[in-house]
PDB file of all heavy atoms in Angstrom:
ATOM      1  N   LEU A  46     104.765  45.804 167.571  1.00 97.00           N
ATOM      2  CA  LEU A  46     105.479  46.264 166.379  1.00 97.00           C
ATOM      3  C   LEU A  46     106.275  45.068 165.884  1.00 97.00           C
ATOM      4  O   LEU A  46     107.376  44.783 166.331  1.00 97.00           O
ATOM      5  CB  LEU A  46     106.372  47.454 166.718  1.00 97.00           C
ATOM      6  CG  LEU A  46     105.596  48.744 167.054  1.00 97.00           C
ATOM      7  CD1 LEU A  46     106.477  49.734 167.798  1.00 97.00           C
ATOM      8  CD2 LEU A  46     105.023  49.371 165.791  1.00 97.00           C
ATOM      9  N   TYR A  48     108.189  43.712 163.421  1.00 94.00           N
ATOM     10  CA  TYR A  48     109.008  44.033 162.249  1.00 94.00           C
ATOM     11  C   TYR A  48     109.629  42.803 161.596  1.00 94.00           C
ATOM     12  O   TYR A  48     109.954  42.830 160.409  1.00 94.00           O
ATOM     13  CB  TYR A  48     110.136  44.988 162.659  1.00 94.00           C
ATOM     14  CG  TYR A  48     109.674  46.326 163.163  1.00 94.00           C
ATOM     15  CD1 TYR A  48     109.979  46.751 164.456  1.00 94.00           C
ATOM     16  CD2 TYR A  48     108.922  47.178 162.364  1.00 94.00           C
ATOM     17  CE1 TYR A  48     109.567  47.989 164.927  1.00 94.00           C
ATOM     18  CE2 TYR A  48     108.501  48.408 162.826  1.00 94.00           C
ATOM     19  CZ  TYR A  48     108.835  48.816 164.108  1.00 94.00           C
ATOM     20  OH  TYR A  48     108.417  50.038 164.572  1.00 94.00           O
ATOM     21  N   ALA A 109     110.748  43.855 153.896  1.00 95.00           N
ATOM     22  CA  ALA A 109     111.470  45.039 153.417  1.00 95.00           C
ATOM     23  C   ALA A 109     110.764  46.316 153.876  1.00 95.00           C
ATOM     24  O   ALA A 109     111.402  47.278 154.331  1.00 95.00           O
ATOM     25  CB  ALA A 109     111.588  45.003 151.901  1.00 95.00           C
ATOM     26  N   LEU A 110     109.439  46.319 153.776  1.00 97.00           N
ATOM     27  CA  LEU A 110     108.682  47.486 154.206  1.00 97.00           C
ATOM     28  C   LEU A 110     108.770  47.655 155.722  1.00 97.00           C
ATOM     29  O   LEU A 110     108.898  48.778 156.231  1.00 97.00           O
ATOM     30  CB  LEU A 110     107.221  47.348 153.767  1.00 97.00           C
ATOM     31  CG  LEU A 110     106.280  48.507 154.096  1.00 97.00           C
ATOM     32  CD1 LEU A 110     106.789  49.820 153.526  1.00 97.00           C
ATOM     33  CD2 LEU A 110     104.870  48.199 153.578  1.00 97.00           C
ATOM     34  N   ALA A 111     108.738  46.541 156.462  1.00 96.00           N
ATOM     35  CA  ALA A 111     108.823  46.610 157.917  1.00 96.00           C
ATOM     36  C   ALA A 111     110.177  47.139 158.375  1.00 96.00           C
ATOM     37  O   ALA A 111     110.262  47.904 159.345  1.00 96.00           O
ATOM     38  CB  ALA A 111     108.557  45.232 158.522  1.00 96.00           C
ATOM     39  N   ALA A 112     111.252  46.731 157.694  1.00 95.00           N
ATOM     40  CA  ALA A 112     112.587  47.232 158.063  1.00 95.00           C
ATOM     41  C   ALA A 112     112.659  48.740 157.885  1.00 95.00           C
ATOM     42  O   ALA A 112     113.205  49.461 158.732  1.00 95.00           O
ATOM     43  CB  ALA A 112     113.649  46.536 157.220  1.00 95.00           C
ATOM     44  N   SER A 113     112.106  49.236 156.783  1.00 97.00           N
ATOM     45  CA  SER A 113     112.053  50.680 156.558  1.00 97.00           C
ATOM     46  C   SER A 113     111.202  51.358 157.616  1.00 97.00           C
ATOM     47  O   SER A 113     111.538  52.439 158.117  1.00 97.00           O
ATOM     48  CB  SER A 113     111.486  50.958 155.163  1.00 97.00           C
ATOM     49  OG  SER A 113     111.173  52.315 154.988  1.00 97.00           O
ATOM     50  N   SER A 114     110.104  50.705 158.006  1.00 98.00           N
ATOM     51  CA  SER A 114     109.201  51.284 158.983  1.00 98.00           C
ATOM     52  C   SER A 114     109.856  51.383 160.359  1.00 98.00           C
ATOM     53  O   SER A 114     109.642  52.357 161.086  1.00 98.00           O
ATOM     54  CB  SER A 114     107.917  50.451 159.069  1.00 98.00           C
ATOM     55  OG  SER A 114     106.855  51.190 159.612  1.00 98.00           O
ATOM     56  N   ARG A 115     110.665  50.391 160.712  1.00 97.00           N
ATOM     57  CA  ARG A 115     111.381  50.460 161.988  1.00 97.00           C
ATOM     58  C   ARG A 115     112.287  51.689 162.019  1.00 97.00           C
ATOM     59  O   ARG A 115     112.315  52.451 162.997  1.00 97.00           O
ATOM     60  CB  ARG A 115     112.219  49.201 162.201  1.00 97.00           C
ATOM     61  CG  ARG A 115     112.985  49.210 163.526  1.00 97.00           C
ATOM     62  CD  ARG A 115     114.109  48.166 163.526  1.00 97.00           C
ATOM     63  NE  ARG A 115     113.637  46.808 163.521  1.00 97.00           N
ATOM     64  CZ  ARG A 115     113.360  46.098 164.621  1.00 97.00           C
ATOM     65  NH1 ARG A 115     113.508  46.651 165.822  1.00 97.00           N
ATOM     66  NH2 ARG A 115     112.948  44.851 164.530  1.00 97.00           N
ATOM     67  N   THR A 116     113.024  51.904 160.933  1.00 98.00           N
ATOM     68  CA  THR A 116     113.929  53.054 160.854  1.00 98.00           C
ATOM     69  C   THR A 116     113.160  54.364 160.978  1.00 98.00           C
ATOM     70  O   THR A 116     113.572  55.288 161.701  1.00 98.00           O
ATOM     71  CB  THR A 116     114.703  53.023 159.530  1.00 98.00           C
ATOM     72  OG1 THR A 116     115.474  51.822 159.472  1.00 98.00           O
ATOM     73  CG2 THR A 116     115.629  54.222 159.399  1.00 98.00           C
ATOM     74  N   GLU A 117     112.026  54.451 160.289  1.00 98.00           N
ATOM     75  CA  GLU A 117     111.243  55.685 160.310  1.00 98.00           C
ATOM     76  C   GLU A 117     110.536  55.886 161.648  1.00 98.00           C
ATOM     77  O   GLU A 117     110.377  57.023 162.102  1.00 98.00           O
ATOM     78  CB  GLU A 117     110.239  55.683 159.155  1.00 98.00           C
ATOM     79  CG  GLU A 117     110.878  55.705 157.783  1.00 98.00           C
ATOM     80  CD  GLU A 117     111.853  56.861 157.622  1.00 98.00           C
ATOM     81  OE1 GLU A 117     111.432  58.015 157.875  1.00 98.00           O
ATOM     82  OE2 GLU A 117     113.018  56.627 157.269  1.00 98.00           O
ATOM     83  N   PHE A 118     110.100  54.803 162.284  1.00 98.00           N
ATOM     84  CA  PHE A 118     109.506  54.933 163.617  1.00 98.00           C
ATOM     85  C   PHE A 118     110.540  55.479 164.595  1.00 98.00           C
ATOM     86  O   PHE A 118     110.238  56.363 165.418  1.00 98.00           O
ATOM     87  CB  PHE A 118     108.983  53.578 164.100  1.00 98.00           C
ATOM     88  CG  PHE A 118     108.199  53.643 165.384  1.00 98.00           C
ATOM     89  CD1 PHE A 118     106.824  53.805 165.377  1.00 98.00           C
ATOM     90  CD2 PHE A 118     108.836  53.540 166.615  1.00 98.00           C
ATOM     91  CE1 PHE A 118     106.097  53.870 166.567  1.00 98.00           C
ATOM     92  CE2 PHE A 118     108.128  53.605 167.807  1.00 98.00           C
ATOM     93  CZ  PHE A 118     106.748  53.766 167.784  1.00 98.00           C
ATOM     94  N   GLU A 119     111.761  54.970 164.499  1.00 98.00           N
ATOM     95  CA  GLU A 119     112.831  55.471 165.364  1.00 98.00           C
ATOM     96  C   GLU A 119     113.132  56.939 165.071  1.00 98.00           C
ATOM     97  O   GLU A 119     113.419  57.723 165.996  1.00 98.00           O
ATOM     98  CB  GLU A 119     114.078  54.611 165.186  1.00 98.00           C
ATOM     99  CG  GLU A 119     113.907  53.196 165.748  1.00 98.00           C
ATOM    100  CD  GLU A 119     115.052  52.269 165.393  1.00 98.00           C
ATOM    101  OE1 GLU A 119     115.916  52.669 164.569  1.00 98.00           O
ATOM    102  OE2 GLU A 119     115.090  51.140 165.919  1.00 98.00           O
ATOM    103  N   ALA A 120     113.039  57.336 163.811  1.00 98.00           N
ATOM    104  CA  ALA A 120     113.234  58.751 163.467  1.00 98.00           C
ATOM    105  C   ALA A 120     112.127  59.603 164.073  1.00 98.00           C
ATOM    106  O   ALA A 120     112.372  60.721 164.565  1.00 98.00           O
ATOM    107  CB  ALA A 120     113.264  58.916 161.951  1.00 98.00           C
ATOM    108  N   GLY A 386      99.080  47.347 160.415  1.00 97.00           N
ATOM    109  CA  GLY A 386      99.050  48.793 160.206  1.00 97.00           C
ATOM    110  C   GLY A 386     100.045  49.555 161.057  1.00 97.00           C
ATOM    111  O   GLY A 386     100.763  50.425 160.564  1.00 97.00           O
ATOM    112  N   PHE A 387     100.117  49.221 162.342  1.00 98.00           N
ATOM    113  CA  PHE A 387     101.036  49.911 163.245  1.00 98.00           C
ATOM    114  C   PHE A 387     102.474  49.612 162.849  1.00 98.00           C
ATOM    115  O   PHE A 387     103.338  50.499 162.816  1.00 98.00           O
ATOM    116  CB  PHE A 387     100.755  49.453 164.672  1.00 98.00           C
ATOM    117  CG  PHE A 387     101.394  50.298 165.750  1.00 98.00           C
ATOM    118  CD1 PHE A 387     101.854  51.587 165.500  1.00 98.00           C
ATOM    119  CD2 PHE A 387     101.507  49.801 167.044  1.00 98.00           C
ATOM    120  CE1 PHE A 387     102.423  52.361 166.511  1.00 98.00           C
ATOM    121  CE2 PHE A 387     102.081  50.551 168.056  1.00 98.00           C
ATOM    122  CZ  PHE A 387     102.537  51.830 167.790  1.00 98.00           C
ATOM    123  N   THR A 388     102.734  48.355 162.514  1.00 98.00           N
ATOM    124  CA  THR A 388     104.093  47.940 162.137  1.00 98.00           C
ATOM    125  C   THR A 388     104.569  48.638 160.874  1.00 98.00           C
ATOM    126  O   THR A 388     105.721  49.072 160.793  1.00 98.00           O
ATOM    127  CB  THR A 388     104.138  46.416 161.944  1.00 98.00           C
ATOM    128  OG1 THR A 388     103.868  45.769 163.194  1.00 98.00           O
ATOM    129  CG2 THR A 388     105.491  45.961 161.421  1.00 98.00           C
ATOM    130  N   LEU A 389     103.698  48.753 159.878  1.00 98.00           N
ATOM    131  CA  LEU A 389     104.118  49.213 158.549  1.00 98.00           C
ATOM    132  C   LEU A 389     103.860  50.696 158.302  1.00 98.00           C
ATOM    133  O   LEU A 389     104.284  51.230 157.265  1.00 98.00           O
ATOM    134  CB  LEU A 389     103.387  48.397 157.469  1.00 98.00           C
ATOM    135  CG  LEU A 389     103.569  46.877 157.508  1.00 98.00           C
ATOM    136  CD1 LEU A 389     102.721  46.232 156.420  1.00 98.00           C
ATOM    137  CD2 LEU A 389     105.041  46.495 157.334  1.00 98.00           C
ATOM    138  N   ALA A 390     103.198  51.379 159.226  1.00 98.00           N
ATOM    139  CA  ALA A 390     102.713  52.736 158.956  1.00 98.00           C
ATOM    140  C   ALA A 390     103.807  53.699 158.526  1.00 98.00           C
ATOM    141  O   ALA A 390     103.654  54.441 157.539  1.00 98.00           O
ATOM    142  CB  ALA A 390     101.997  53.282 160.193  1.00 98.00           C
ATOM    143  N   PHE A 391     104.923  53.720 159.237  1.00 98.00           N
ATOM    144  CA  PHE A 391     105.925  54.743 158.959  1.00 98.00           C
ATOM    145  C   PHE A 391     106.745  54.431 157.714  1.00 98.00           C
ATOM    146  O   PHE A 391     107.210  55.343 157.028  1.00 98.00           O
ATOM    147  CB  PHE A 391     106.809  54.947 160.195  1.00 98.00           C
ATOM    148  CG  PHE A 391     106.090  55.654 161.295  1.00 98.00           C
ATOM    149  CD1 PHE A 391     105.290  54.948 162.184  1.00 98.00           C
ATOM    150  CD2 PHE A 391     106.146  57.027 161.417  1.00 98.00           C
ATOM    151  CE1 PHE A 391     104.581  55.597 163.192  1.00 98.00           C
ATOM    152  CE2 PHE A 391     105.449  57.698 162.402  1.00 98.00           C
ATOM    153  CZ  PHE A 391     104.655  56.975 163.293  1.00 98.00           C
ATOM    154  N   GLY A 392     106.894  53.155 157.387  1.00 98.00           N
ATOM    155  CA  GLY A 392     107.562  52.798 156.133  1.00 98.00           C
ATOM    156  C   GLY A 392     106.702  53.117 154.926  1.00 98.00           C
ATOM    157  O   GLY A 392     107.193  53.637 153.913  1.00 98.00           O
ATOM    158  N   SER A 393     105.399  52.805 155.012  1.00 98.00           N
ATOM    159  CA  SER A 393     104.523  53.109 153.876  1.00 98.00           C
ATOM    160  C   SER A 393     104.347  54.614 153.724  1.00 98.00           C
ATOM    161  O   SER A 393     104.235  55.132 152.600  1.00 98.00           O
ATOM    162  CB  SER A 393     103.169  52.408 154.035  1.00 98.00           C
ATOM    163  OG  SER A 393     102.486  52.845 155.181  1.00 98.00           O
ATOM    164  N   LEU A 395     106.664  56.795 154.285  1.00 98.00           N
ATOM    165  CA  LEU A 395     107.869  57.235 153.581  1.00 98.00           C
ATOM    166  C   LEU A 395     107.721  57.037 152.081  1.00 98.00           C
ATOM    167  O   LEU A 395     108.076  57.913 151.285  1.00 98.00           O
ATOM    168  CB  LEU A 395     109.086  56.464 154.099  1.00 98.00           C
ATOM    169  CG  LEU A 395     110.403  56.724 153.361  1.00 98.00           C
ATOM    170  CD1 LEU A 395     110.850  58.166 153.536  1.00 98.00           C
ATOM    171  CD2 LEU A 395     111.490  55.751 153.854  1.00 98.00           C
TER     172      LEU A 395
END
Side-chain angles (χ1 to χ4, degrees):
L46 291 162
Y48 297 119
L110 182 56
S113 169
S114 201
R115 180 197 292 271
T116 299
E117 295 306 306
F118 187 92
E119 291 171 351
F387 193 18
T388 296
L389 302 177
F391 288 84
S393 62
L395 174 65

